[in-house]
Amino acid sequence: MDTSLSELLDLSIAHEINISRLYTLFHELFEEDEDFWWQLSIEERSHAALLRNEKAAHKHAETVPENLLTDDLDALKSSNAKLESLIDDYTANPPAREEALQTAYDLELSVGEIHYQEFMNRKSCSLSDELFKQLNLEDKDHADRIKSYMQANGMSPRERE
């Protein structure tokens, strides 16, 4: 596996872990939503584990399933830095419930998650693709789930422009 692909996988794994850490923080902060946040946190950790497995399975290969990851290293680095900053900020100054949900909604629409969803929604070409999709079937489209959860709780998510 070449260095850039390895770095891309490592950054993508860190991204999923950071999202999970943020959702775990929300789980701890919002008792009324703790089950919702816990489920999302677990699913993000599952995504990280699947990416780790994909990295191990393709250790000597030059590719992973097509379109699984964004190819923008700078965007991933920036997103990871933003996530770490959010975790620090929200630990020191907890957000309001609606702000937490809006933050998560915006995050799920971000570059890394969008590419992940594109992979999950495209027609499979290989057994590896199908296996990956099957393992993630229940984790599909967090943005829609967060939006629905907000609406069910009387909140209107702001759409990104």
Side-chain angles (χ1 to χ4, degrees):
M1 178 176 301
D2 71 18
T3 305
S4 62
L5 180 57
S6 180
E7 182 180 10
L8 182 59
L9 278 163
D10 289 342
L11 286 168
S12 297
I13 291 164
H15 195 257
E16 297 295 337
I17 296 284
N18 283 330
I19 295 169
S20 177
R21 289 178 52 221
L22 181 65
Y23 293 172
T24 299
L25 176 62
F26 292 164
H27 159 79
E28 294 166 359
L29 291 172
F30 302 103
E31 185 176 320
E32 65 269 43
D33 304 318
E34 68 181 358
D35 291 340
F36 177 75
W37 290 120
W38 187 249
Q39 184 61 41
L40 289 176
S41 176
I42 298 277
E43 291 170 8
E44 295 297 346
R45 286 203 180 270
S46 177
H47 295 166
L50 288 166
L51 289 171
R52 278 191 198 103
N53 288 341
E54 205 57 40
K55 183 177 179 181
H58 292 85
K59 191 173 193 167
H60 301 292
E62 297 298 320
T63 63
V64 293
E66 182 183 347
N67 296 327
L68 173 59
L69 306 169
T70 180
D71 58 1
D72 190 340
L73 287 173
D74 290 334
L76 272 173
K77 288 176 184 176
S78 174
S79 185
N80 275 323
K82 179 182 175 185
L83 282 164
E84 290 169 5
S85 178
L86 274 173
I87 292 165
D88 291 343
D89 291 348
Y90 286 164
T91 298
N93 300 302
R97 181 180 184 217
E98 189 167 353
E99 181 183 350
L101 286 157
Q102 184 67 48
T103 297
Y105 181 65
D106 291 343
L107 177 63
E108 292 293 343
L109 295 175
S110 73
V111 65
E113 292 300 312
I114 288 170
H115 280 80
Y116 179 81
Q117 287 304 321
E118 287 172 1
F119 171 79
M120 293 303 293
N121 289 328
R122 78 176 170 87
K123 183 175 167 79
S124 291
C125 300
S126 71
L127 183 56
S128 176
D129 287 1
E130 276 303 316
L131 178 59
F132 197 87
K133 283 184 182 184
Q134 286 300 317
L135 290 171
N136 281 284
L137 194 57
E138 66 198 46
D139 298 345
K140 197 172 168 189
D141 211 352
H142 287 176
D144 281 346
R145 287 171 47 201
I146 293 167
K147 182 178 181 178
S148 294
Y149 189 84
M150 289 178 78
Q151 291 169 334
N153 284 276
M155 297 173 235
S156 298
R158 293 180 312 276
E159 298 295 329
R160 291 173 36 165
E161 296 180 8

